């Protein structure tokens, strides 16, 4: 797990980093995360289980990616 040692993390900003893929378990254990900024990347697909552990998430920004509905 990418952030498993950061279980108390509340804000994660990985915007504008040319991220194209995110592992389905990338955010496992981040129970206190309330703000996740992923804007200005190259993400084109998200796993349906990606945000399962993010029970405290209040703000998610996926703008300016390659996602389509």
């Amino acid at each position: 797990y990418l952030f498993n040692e950061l279980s108390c993390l509340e804000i994660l900003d990985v915007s504008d980093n040319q991220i194209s893929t995110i592992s389905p378990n990338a955010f496992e254990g981040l129970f206190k995360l309330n703000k996740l900024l992923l804007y200005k990347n190259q993400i084109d697909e998200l796993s349906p289980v990606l945000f399962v552990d993010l029970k405290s998430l209040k703000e998610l920004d996926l703008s300016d990616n390659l996602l389509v509905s």
Side-chain angles (χ1 to χ4, degrees), residues 5-57:
E5 297 293 322
L6 302 172
S7 61
C8 292
L9 190 69
E10 293 182 14
I11 299 171
L12 179 59
D13 183 351
V14 288
S15 56
D16 204 6
N17 277 291
Q18 298 180 359
I19 297 169
S20 58
T21 59
I22 302 175
S23 170
N25 63 351
F27 305 124
E28 273 187 25
L30 294 181
F31 303 111
K32 294 186 179 183
L33 192 71
N34 61 56
K35 185 174 187 177
L36 177 56
L37 305 174
L38 291 163
Y39 64 88
K40 286 190 181 177
N41 282 295
Q42 297 178 12
I43 302 165
D44 61 0
E45 186 177 2
L46 296 171
S47 166
V49 298
L50 185 61
F51 305 115
V52 169
D53 277 356
L54 304 183
K55 307 293 186 196
S56 299
L57 193 65

Side-chain angles (χ1 to χ4, degrees), residues 15 38-42 60-67:
S15 56
L38 291 163
Y39 64 88
K40 286 190 181 177
N41 282 295
Q42 297 178 12
L60 172 63
D61 190 342
L62 289 164
S63 61
D64 294 320
N65 277 287
L66 304 174
L67 296 166

